[in-house]
Amino acid sequence: MKSLTFQVLEGMERGRVLENLFPPITIGREEDNGIQLNDERVSRFHAKVQEDGGRIILTDLESTNGTRVNGHPVQMHVLRIGDQVSIGRCLLLYGSAVEIEERIKARRPADLKANGNATVESGSDFDFLDAASRDDDEELPRLFPDGAPEIPDELRPVQVAQLADLLAHIHDRLRSVVTAGRVASEGGEMPPYELDWVAWQRALQLEMNVAEYLRSLTNPAADAD
């Protein structure tokens, strides 16, 4: 099994590189954790990192202050190289410098093409896209910077049917919201687009439905209480 690396960007352990970690490991304030973080906002056993089917899964262990990935609160999340994990006042970067550089090189040509520049200089340094290439209205890094997650493999027929029904429900609700929208005014390259109150409420209800799905999947014990 390949070892894992976390780089500590913020917190009391800032600057440390935690390498040669083999899942499963836990992250928390106690000494018994594979990654110990000295911060009172970190729970004794805050989160767990485990491997499943070749993927690395981060799970929040009912911590007091929660766990965030790329600025977004998560209960469970498939980690990708370069993800930023916030626990308490600590910020961990998943992956070694070499792994992150390899991912940058793999993504850079596609990023350049998407921004109208399909050429990459031979031997040039690959680094993160500068601010000019990012969307101005994005306050947080994307939770899924590589696009939508993949459909899980080896589902049983009943699971395929249930997943298809769930996605069809979300698609149907989204379509009803999108078709209810309209351009608010003429002119300009990006005229404002508005929804009426009913469509807005449908969108909010859909967000709540998805939140309930996530809660029941990642924390089934909470629904039993």
Side-chain angles (χ1 to χ4, degrees), residues 176-177 179-182 193-203:
S176 70
V177 171
T179 56
R182 59 183 178 273
Y193 197 77
E194 65 181 18
L195 297 174
D196 62 25
W197 186 85
V198 173
W200 175 242
Q201 290 300 311
R202 287 174 181 162

Side-chain angles (χ1 to χ4, degrees), residues 49-133:
V49 178
Q50 64 191 51
E51 184 270 342
D52 187 10
R55 306 294 181 91
I56 301 302
I57 312 297
L58 173 72
T59 304
D60 183 83
L61 298 176
E62 302 296 324
S63 65
T64 301
N65 294 308
T67 301
R68 291 176 176 265
V69 175
N70 298 334
H72 300 265
V74 299
Q75 179 64 36
M76 295 181 70
H77 185 72
V78 178
L79 286 178
R80 295 165 176 82
I81 296 298
D83 278 348
Q84 300 175 37
V85 180
S86 300
I87 295 179
R89 284 183 288 243
C90 303
L91 180 61
L92 309 179
L93 181 62
Y94 173 57
S96 66
V98 172
E99 289 172 325
I100 292 172
E101 184 70 13
E102 289 175 350
R103 184 182 177 200
I104 292 170
K105 290 181 179 180
R107 291 193 59 195
R108 185 62 168 172
D111 286 331
L112 287 173
K113 187 174 182 180
N115 284 278
N117 183 359
T119 62
V120 180
E121 295 182 6
S122 177
S124 62
D125 291 332
F126 293 92
D127 52 5
F128 291 102
L129 295 176
D130 56 31
S133 67

